Amino acid sequence: MLLAEDDRAIRHALERALTLEGYEVTAVADGVEAIAQAHRSAPDILVLDVMMPGIDGLQVCRVLRAEGDRTPILMLTALVETPDRIAGLDAGADDYVVKPFDVDEVFARLRALLRRTSGASSDDGRDVSPELDGQVAAADLRMDPQARRAWRGERELELTRTEFDLLELLVRNAGIVLDHATIYDRIWGYDFGPGSKNLA
């Protein structure tokens, strides 16, 4: 795991808590170090503070996603407004935790992201779309959740992690109308509220 947090006290406390939880943690203090470390040894998951000096967490996300890096990213942020959350998700983050946070929530969100990495099934344990060798399909769309690859016909699709998770959710629930709250909960783990329209 790669942890990037410029606040020394938070960084040390979180690094210690994550290590005690069983994670192997590499901790850095800014976005430049985060990108360099991600290039040196690909982590299983990244935890990034949004507001860091030099290159902030959002820029780190954009750089890694532009390079095709689909490692799950959890953002730590003091910004609580909906536009701030949307900006983080649009930058390529998979989820975020608002400061001040409970470390147990960080653990829970990390577990959820790592579960998604290994592929997910519908809540009742069944796959509603046909599978071939672990793949799921709907019409001319085919997905391999384990490899996190998707094709439409013979053309492979380039998807961010969140786009892949959303598409997989829809394919696995083909023919079922999913409301906003369900989609938000399944993909991001929380509800943006009834006024949100970014899935309308």
Side-chain angles (χ1 to χ4, degrees):
M1 170 189 297
L2 175 58
L3 167 65
E5 166 63 65
D6 67 313
D7 185 301
R8 180 180 296 178
I10 294 176
R11 184 173 67 252
H12 287 173
L14 194 51
E15 180 181 9
R16 182 173 184 275
L18 289 166
T19 300
L20 290 173
E21 190 70 5
Y23 293 98
E24 185 177 330
V25 183
T26 298
V28 298
D30 60 51
V32 173
E33 288 185 73
I35 292 173
Q37 183 61 40
H39 287 162
R40 277 195 292 271
S41 58
D44 293 328
I45 195 164
L46 290 91
V47 179
L48 302 176
D49 180 29
V50 170
M51 294 184 289
M52 294 186 288
I55 297 178
D56 65 19
L58 297 183
Q59 291 173 294
V60 173
C61 279
R62 293 189 187 103
V63 168
L64 295 178
R65 295 309 189 222
E67 293 174 347
D69 189 328
R70 296 184 178 180
T71 304
I73 295 175
L74 176 67
M75 303 296 292
L76 305 177
T77 179
L79 305 175
V80 299
E81 297 300 320
T82 297
D84 297 317
R85 296 196 301 242
I86 292 172
L89 296 170
D90 284 346
D94 297 287
D95 200 356
Y96 80 99
V97 174
V98 175
K99 295 178 180 179
F101 51 79
D102 187 312
V103 71
D104 286 333
E105 181 182 2
V106 174
F107 293 159
R109 293 193 180 276
L110 289 172
R111 289 193 298 270
L113 287 176
L114 291 170
R115 281 197 303 272
R116 291 180 203 168
T117 302
S118 62
S121 60
S122 61
D123 282 351
D124 59 6
R126 65 186 176 86
D127 293 323
V128 298
S129 56
E131 288 201 18
L132 293 172
D133 298 325
Q135 298 183 4
V136 293
D140 66 342
L141 185 66
R142 182 168 49 91
M143 305 184 74
D144 184 339
Q146 293 298 324
R148 298 191 67 79
R149 298 175 66 186
W151 300 264
R152 184 166 187 181
E154 297 301 315
R155 184 173 64 89
E156 185 165 1
L157 305 177
E158 291 294 327
L159 302 171
T160 65
R161 181 165 297 277
T162 300
E163 289 169 344
F164 186 94
D165 290 339
L166 181 58
L167 187 59
E168 182 186 0
L169 175 65
L170 296 175
V171 169
R172 288 185 181 276
N173 291 277
I176 299 173
V177 177
L178 300 175
D179 59 24
H180 283 197
T182 298
I183 295 173
Y184 288 136
D185 181 67
R186 299 272 193 90
I187 302 301
W188 292 287
Y190 49 79
D191 189 350
F192 281 110
S196 178
K197 296 181 179 178
N198 65 317
L199 279 181

